[in-house]
Amino acid sequence: MEIGLVGLGRMGKNMALRLLAGGHRVVGLDRTPEAVAEVVAQGAIGARDLADLVGRLARPRAVWMMVPAGEATEKLVQDLAGMLTTGDILVDGGNSFYQDSSRRARELAERGVHFVDAGTSGGIWGRELGYCLMVGGERAAFERLEPLLRTLAPPDGYAHVGPSGAGHFTKMVHNGIEYGMMEAYAEGFEIIRASDYRVDLARLAHLWNQGSVVRSWLLELAERAFSKDPDLVSVSDYVEDSGEGRWTVQESIARGVPAPVLTLSVQARFRSRQEESFAGKVLAALRREFGGHAVKTAV
């Protein structure tokens, strides 16, 4: 099958290479010429700009976007909307907010263009292991894309999960769950490291993956990280978030669904970014005031 791929960053480039290895024709475009050159060296066709990319695809076209959510995606959708024609498919494989995806689907439908939101999970390992794809949109558009989806995903690794927005909605909740799982592992390993036992954390992570109820791919990655740097001295404790965890918590509030673990995992990331916590200062000051408890003096 033929696909135009816009955005050849860490995910997009590896997706392009996996599709090329699967025998698909890929027309690639990125702001960085080096990224385009890399996939061209592997058999892709490089495009100069959006108009060139669209012009190199046979109708009905399929264009897949892998760009950051928000303004970048919005502008790209609007630009492509003026170039695509009836029957074409536009896929957003990024982490867009699901309500934005639903709106974009409605707007593009007025032009006769099908919009598909494909929640994509797999990270930098997707080229080797495949990507888990949660696909929202019209069933007919999904079926047209299936040759691509089968190549990108591992066996049973893709599914049509519902109408427009459902793909990004399920990916949003997926990432919220991921936040909670990562926080649980992080807290557990910190408790062990703070104990009197000098446990080899890489060996323990490996052990837990041998039939334990907490086994997972995240534990495999923890084992890799501890093997390379047992005390993680090369890693800052600053933890960023890309938005999906926040959106999941907001959705839980809007729906009245309790999600304490997911909520606290997002809050923990906020705390990691503070050089010092003013809230912590308040707590210490209050303990001193009501109980005469000693406080540490700021340097």
Side-chain angles (χ1 to χ4, degrees):
M1 185 174 172
E2 179 181 77
I3 186 72
L5 187 54
V6 183
L8 301 171
R10 288 174 297 177
M11 290 275 282
K13 178 187 73 175
N14 284 339
M15 291 173 70
L17 295 176
R18 188 173 174 94
L19 288 169
L20 289 167
H24 299 280
R25 180 176 184 266
V26 177
V27 181
L29 175 65
D30 192 87
R31 293 180 302 176
T32 306
E34 291 78 10
V36 176
E38 189 171 348
V39 297
V40 167
Q42 298 300 317
I45 298 167
R48 297 184 304 273
D49 51 34
L50 284 180
D52 186 38
L53 179 137
V54 171
R56 290 176 180 269
L57 299 172
R59 298 180 182 178
R61 310 175 185 92
V63 177
W64 192 304
M65 307 180 296
M66 289 300 295
V67 299
E71 185 177 343
T73 295
E74 185 67 28
K75 184 177 187 308
L76 185 54
V77 170
Q78 296 305 320
D79 289 345
L80 284 167
M83 302 177 188
L84 299 178
T85 56
T86 300
D88 291 346
I89 299 175
L90 180 58
V91 183
D92 181 4
N95 286 323
S96 294
F97 185 46
Y98 78 96
Q99 292 182 3
D100 288 335
S101 298
S102 297
R103 169 181 55 79
R104 289 165 184 153
R106 292 191 300 270
E107 292 172 351
L108 287 173
E110 295 177 357
R111 298 171 176 262
V113 176
H114 307 284
F115 183 84
V116 170
D117 50 294
T120 305
S121 182
I124 59 175
W125 294 89
R127 179 184 175 186
E128 175 185 351
L129 302 176
Y131 300 89
C132 179
L133 299 166
M134 296 143 267
V135 185
E138 297 169 272
R139 183 85 195 186
F142 164 80
E143 291 175 353
R144 276 177 51 192
L145 294 169
E146 277 203 87
L148 298 172
L149 303 176
R150 278 194 294 268
T151 299
L152 287 170
D156 296 324
Y158 73 93
H160 181 251
V161 295
S164 298
H168 282 152
F169 179 81
T170 52
K171 177 55 163 46
M172 175 189 78
V173 177
H174 162 285
N175 282 26
I177 293 170
E178 174 190 301
Y179 279 38
M181 292 174 65
M182 292 172 67
E183 182 64 23
Y185 284 132
E187 292 175 10
F189 281 118
E190 182 167 16
I191 292 168
I192 293 169
R193 189 171 181 273
S195 74
D196 294 331
Y197 302 105
R198 303 276 67 84
V199 178
D200 182 331
L201 297 183
R203 186 168 180 270
L204 182 65
H206 179 78
L207 173 65
W208 282 352
N209 259 331
Q210 313 313 309
S212 161
V213 296
V214 298
R215 63 187 181 275
S216 75
W217 184 51
L218 286 173
L219 265 184
E220 293 179 24
L221 298 179
E223 179 186 349
R224 287 173 54 90
F226 290 134
S227 295
K228 291 185 289 187
D229 187 355
D231 292 316
L232 303 182
V233 294
S234 64
V235 182
S236 166
D237 62 353
Y238 183 105
V239 186
E240 192 56 86
D241 75 285
S242 54
E244 296 89 342
R246 301 187 192 201
W247 297 338
T248 303
V249 172
Q250 291 167 0
E251 189 71 19
S252 77
I253 294 169
R255 303 287 179 181
V257 177
V261 172
L262 275 57
T263 300
L264 289 174
S265 69
V266 175
Q267 296 293 334
R269 296 197 178 195
F270 297 159
R271 177 64 183 89
S272 77
R273 300 168 203 168
Q274 296 179 301
E275 292 185 9
E276 61 179 24
S277 168
F278 185 76
K281 291 173 178 280
V282 173
L283 290 173
L286 289 174
R287 291 184 76 246
R288 179 179 61 188
E289 295 302 322
F290 72 69
H293 300 288
V295 298
K296 290 185 178 182
T297 305
V299 178

